[in-house]
Amino acid sequence: MIRISGLLLSALMVLSACATTPPEPTLGPDGKPLPKVYRIRSGETAKIQYRMLDSVNALREAAGVPSVQLNSQLNAAAATHSRDMSIQNRPWHFGSDGSSPIDRVRRVGYAGQLVGETISETYETETETLAAWMEKDTTRNVILSPEARDMGFAWLQEDNGKIWWTMVLGK
């Protein structure tokens, strides 16, 4: 009996040595935890675009407006702008050549009209970014516009993890 108890105690000590506690989060200068870098792997483009499309359409359905569909031309306009914002190192709606969102959708051959564009510079996932856009009237109004029928969504992720997100809606 003593031998079995000794073996059990030894086994418990070995198992307890294997248990690890989660690491403490790294804190920023403001005392808040720094965000974990969300890394987008190559080959995930379609997965992320359709996850965003499904999320947007769920929000649109809840608001009682028609769903949107992904449009390759608007995806191209969004990708161009995400890349350009990274080059300029600022999130804004004008391209380095002075182009507007209207100019960009025309350049890619989109036959419809621009409804609006939402942009973001962040380290957050696409769904966290969508949630942030939904908190602001201006971006929420674009996402839930009853006129919208087409959506383009793209990004550029820098080596440091920063992501430049762009969503373009058209009709």
Side-chain angles (χ1 to χ4, degrees):
M1 186 68 158
I2 295 175
R3 192 176 269 183
I4 292 173
S5 296
L7 287 172
L8 287 174
L9 183 59
S10 297
L12 285 173
M13 291 174 68
V14 168
L15 287 175
S16 67
C18 294
T20 59
T21 57
E24 290 292 319
T26 304
L27 301 179
D30 59 358
K32 294 182 181 178
L34 292 173
K36 184 178 176 189
V37 175
Y38 172 58
R39 288 281 177 199
I40 300 172
R41 294 182 299 244
S42 65
E44 289 188 321
T45 300
K47 177 181 163 185
I48 291 171
Q49 286 175 325
Y50 280 103
R51 187 166 45 229
M52 180 60 91
L53 177 68
D54 291 344
S55 298
V56 166
N57 279 334
L59 292 167
R60 291 177 64 82
E61 182 180 341
V65 296
S67 62
V68 292
Q69 61 185 358
L70 275 177
N71 178 281
S72 60
Q73 293 165 320
L74 294 181
N75 285 342
T80 297
H81 193 53
S82 292
R83 186 172 33 260
D84 194 44
M85 286 190 298
S86 172
I87 291 167
Q88 296 181 71
N89 196 34
R90 62 179 168 181
W92 73 326
H93 294 282
F94 294 97
S96 55
D97 62 355
S99 63
S100 71
I102 294 170
D103 297 327
R104 288 189 292 278
V105 299
R106 284 185 186 148
R107 285 180 187 166
V108 296
Y110 182 67
Q113 292 180 316
L114 175 74
V115 170
E117 177 182 75
T118 61
I119 58 173
S120 182
E121 165 197 20
T122 185
Y123 292 87
E124 296 177 324
T125 69
E126 65 280 358
T127 52
E128 290 170 319
T129 300
L130 178 59
W133 285 338
M134 291 301 290
E135 291 177 7
K136 296 180 183 169
D137 289 340
T138 54
T139 50
R140 183 178 52 250
N141 291 342
V142 170
I143 293 165
L144 299 180
S145 171
E147 298 177 323
R149 296 295 181 271
D150 298 314
M151 181 182 98
F153 181 66
W155 59 90
L156 181 121
Q157 185 166 37
E158 296 178 352
D159 291 341
N160 66 7
K162 184 190 297 185
I163 307 169
W164 301 86
W165 299 106
T166 305
M167 179 187 293
V168 181
L169 293 162
K171 61 178 181 175

